[in-house]
Amino acid sequence: MKYFIVAGEASGDLHASNLMKGIKAADANAEFQYFGGDLMQAQGGTLVKHYRDMAFMGFLEVVMNLKTIKANMELCKKSILEFRPDVVILVDYPGFNLRIAKFAKQFGFKVFYYIAPKVWAWKESRVKTLKKYIDKLFIIFPFEIEYFKNKGVDSIYLGNPSIDAILNKLPNPIPLNDFCNQNGLPQKPIIALVPGSRKQEIKYNLPVMLKVAERFPEYQAVIAGAPSLDKSVYELYIKGKEVSIVFNKTYELLSCATLAFVTSGTATLEAALMNVPQVVCYKGNLLSMLIAWAVIKVKYISLVNLNMNAEVVKELKQYDLKPKMLYSEASDLLPGKPKRAKQLEQYRKLNEILGERGASERVGQKIVELLKTNFTK
C-alpha cells in the first residue's frame, strides 16, 4: 500500500521514521512519500520536502514566513494528488497538518493523525477539525485518553514513541569516559544544554544556559546541536566560551550527563525517560509569548509535569528564566541533594504510567490492519 506522511520538525521526523519501520514490518510492499527529514529518508521512499524548510516557531516568525508556508502547502497538496496514497498520515505539526487533513479528506483520502495536536493546552477549537476530517487519531499520552473521549473523538493509545526512539538509538547507556573520548571532550562530568531545534529557541534560551553552566567549573557544558542547524547558528553564542557542541548525539549526551537544562518540548520527556535530572527553560519572543499566555490553558508546559499532573521538574518560563534562578535550581539537583533523589523517584513513576516499549511498531501494525480491513470512519 501507499503512505503519504507529513512531519514538519525534528521530533516528527524521529517518530515518523520509527512509525515507518512499524508499517514496513506489517506491509512488506509499503511505498512512502513524505515531508520529513533524514531519519525518514533512511527508511526509504521519496522525500518531497525537508522539515528544515518548514519549522517556524511563534506568531511573528509564522507571519514573516507566510509565503514559504503557503508554497510548502501547495507542494504538499500537489504531491498527495499525484501519489494517490491509500492513507495520508499526519504527524504532529498541527498548524500545517490540519489544513492538509481538510484537503485530503475533501479529495477522498483516508486521513490518520499520529501524535495529536495539543488541543488540551490551547486552540481547543481544533477538536472540531479533528472530528470532521480525521478518520483515526493515534495519541501518545495516557492523560489524552479521557480528554478525547469526553470530546467525542475516537482515539487509540498504544504507548509513547519516545521510549522506542531512545532504545532504538541507544540500547545501552554510554559510559562518560567513552563518550568524552569519542567526541574529543575533557574527562569531566557533563551538564547537557538542550536549547531546542529552532533558531528562535536557541536565541532566547541558550545564552542563559551558558551563563549558568559557567558557574559550575567542576563540570563541562556540552550543547546538543540540532541536526537541522549548522554550527554557525551556535557560534554566535559560544564564541570565546568554554563549551563544546555535539550534533546528532542528544541521546548519547543525555545518557552520561549529570544534569540537563532543557528547552520545553519532547526533550523534557526524553531526559526524564533517561533518568537525567533537569530544569526546564522556556523563553521566546515577547509578542509570541504574550499571545501564548493569553490562550494556553494548562498549568504546566513540560511533558513530564503534564503526564504526572504535578511539578516534577522546575519550569522557568520567560521572566523566571534568569541566571540566578536557574543556578539555584541546578544546584539543588546535583548528586547527593534530596531534590535530585526526589526527581529521579518521580521519573520511575512516569515510566510506569507511559507503559512498555514497542509503541511505534504497534501503531504501524494498527494502521496496516485498519487499511486492510477497509476501515471507514
Side-chain angles (χ1 to χ4, degrees):
M1 289 183 285
K2 298 165 72 174
Y3 306 83
F4 194 97
I5 306 175
V6 185
E9 50 198 346
S11 61
D13 177 40
L14 171 64
H15 297 314
S17 68
N18 287 328
L19 176 65
M20 290 168 71
K21 288 182 188 177
I23 290 173
K24 289 194 294 184
D27 179 5
N29 298 313
E31 295 180 48
F32 299 102
Q33 269 197 26
Y34 43 86
F35 277 41
D38 299 340
L39 297 176
M40 294 173 71
Q41 199 166 19
Q43 292 300 315
T46 303
L47 174 66
V48 181
K49 172 67 69 171
H50 201 287
Y51 71 77
R52 71 168 66 95
D53 301 320
M54 300 173 64
F56 304 110
M57 181 191 77
F59 177 78
L60 269 184
E61 290 76 21
V62 169
V63 170
M64 291 168 61
N65 290 280
L66 281 175
K67 186 175 180 180
T68 300
I69 293 169
K70 183 178 179 181
N72 288 339
M73 194 156 305
E74 292 307 311
L75 175 61
C76 189
K77 293 176 180 178
K78 179 174 178 289
S79 300
I80 290 171
L81 291 176
E82 291 177 351
F83 188 54
R84 305 298 303 177
D86 292 281
V87 64
V88 175
I89 303 172
L90 308 171
V91 183
D92 204 357
Y93 203 55
F96 187 94
N97 274 339
L98 289 176
R99 289 175 172 82
I100 295 301
K102 179 179 179 180
F103 167 84
K105 192 64 181 173
Q106 288 177 338
F107 276 83
F109 296 102
K110 282 188 172 63
V111 182
F112 292 169
Y113 210 117
Y114 182 46
I115 306 180
K118 297 176 179 62
V119 290
W120 34 262
W122 73 315
K123 291 191 177 181
E124 194 171 52
S125 59
R126 286 174 167 172
V127 172
K128 295 179 182 178
T129 304
L130 291 172
K131 292 177 71 172
K132 190 171 183 179
Y133 300 116
I134 303 300
D135 294 298
K136 186 60 68 174
L137 181 69
F138 294 88
I139 58 177
I140 64 169
F141 301 119
F143 70 85
E144 293 180 319
I145 299 171
E146 191 67 21
Y147 175 85
F148 283 110
K149 181 180 178 182
N150 291 337
K151 297 296 178 182
V153 178
D154 183 21
S155 64
I156 296 177
Y157 177 74
L158 295 172
N160 188 282
S162 290
I163 299 170
D164 294 334
I166 294 168
L167 292 173
N168 290 342
K169 182 74 179 288
L170 194 69
N172 298 298
I174 296 178
L176 174 62
N177 290 348
D178 291 352
F179 181 78
C180 292
N181 287 333
Q182 292 167 13
N183 294 281
L185 303 175
Q187 292 291 340
K188 292 174 67 176
I190 290 173
I191 295 179
L193 310 184
V194 190
S197 59
R198 300 180 178 99
K199 292 179 182 179
Q200 296 92 344
E201 289 175 325
I202 293 163
K203 174 183 177 181
Y204 288 106
N205 294 280
L206 183 57
V208 181
M209 294 178 176
L210 289 168
K211 281 185 180 179
V212 175
E214 289 175 345
R215 297 181 65 181
F216 294 96
E218 65 275 30
Y219 291 86
Q220 60 176 316
V222 183
I223 299 170
S228 60
L229 299 178
D230 188 78
K231 189 175 181 180
S232 61
V233 173
Y234 299 90
E235 286 175 342
L236 180 65
Y237 310 101
I238 66 176
K239 189 176 180 180
K241 296 182 180 295
E242 292 187 13
V243 59
S244 303
I245 181 169
V246 295
F247 286 90
N248 299 311
K249 295 181 179 179
T250 300
Y251 291 161
E252 292 90 334
L253 172 60
L254 287 172
S255 77
C256 57
T258 300
L259 175 65
F261 302 158
V262 187
T263 295
S264 181
T266 306
T268 62
L269 185 63
E270 292 167 338
L273 290 172
M274 299 182 77
N275 283 321
V276 185
Q278 64 180 301
V279 183
V280 174
C281 308
Y282 202 81
K283 191 174 185 179
N285 171 277
L286 180 58
L287 179 57
S288 296
M289 291 301 289
L290 286 173
I291 293 171
W293 284 333
V295 297
I296 289 178
K297 302 178 298 178
V298 290
K299 186 176 180 181
Y300 305 110
I301 61 168
S302 75
L303 292 174
V304 177
N305 293 345
L306 283 165
N307 276 283
M308 293 295 288
N309 194 29
E311 190 182 58
V312 174
V313 298
K314 185 66 177 181
E315 300 178 352
L316 297 180
K317 297 170 281 190
Q318 203 67 5
Y319 295 114
D320 288 338
L321 183 56
K322 297 176 180 177
K324 183 178 179 180
M325 295 186 70
L326 180 54
Y327 176 77
S328 175
E329 292 297 329
S331 298
D332 286 342
L333 292 173
L334 294 178
K337 295 296 183 71
K339 195 168 183 178
R340 179 185 181 91
K342 182 179 179 182
Q343 194 174 99
L344 291 173
E345 176 59 30
Q346 292 296 96
Y347 282 176
R348 283 188 279 275
K349 294 178 181 178
L350 174 66
N351 271 274
E352 293 174 3
I353 289 172
L354 293 178
E356 299 178 355
R357 66 179 300 178
S360 304
E361 183 177 351
R362 290 190 290 272
V363 173
Q365 291 176 344
K366 187 64 177 180
I367 286 173
V368 174
E369 175 189 318
L370 290 170
L371 295 175
K372 285 183 176 179
T373 56
N374 198 27
F375 163 81
T376 55
K377 188 173 181 179

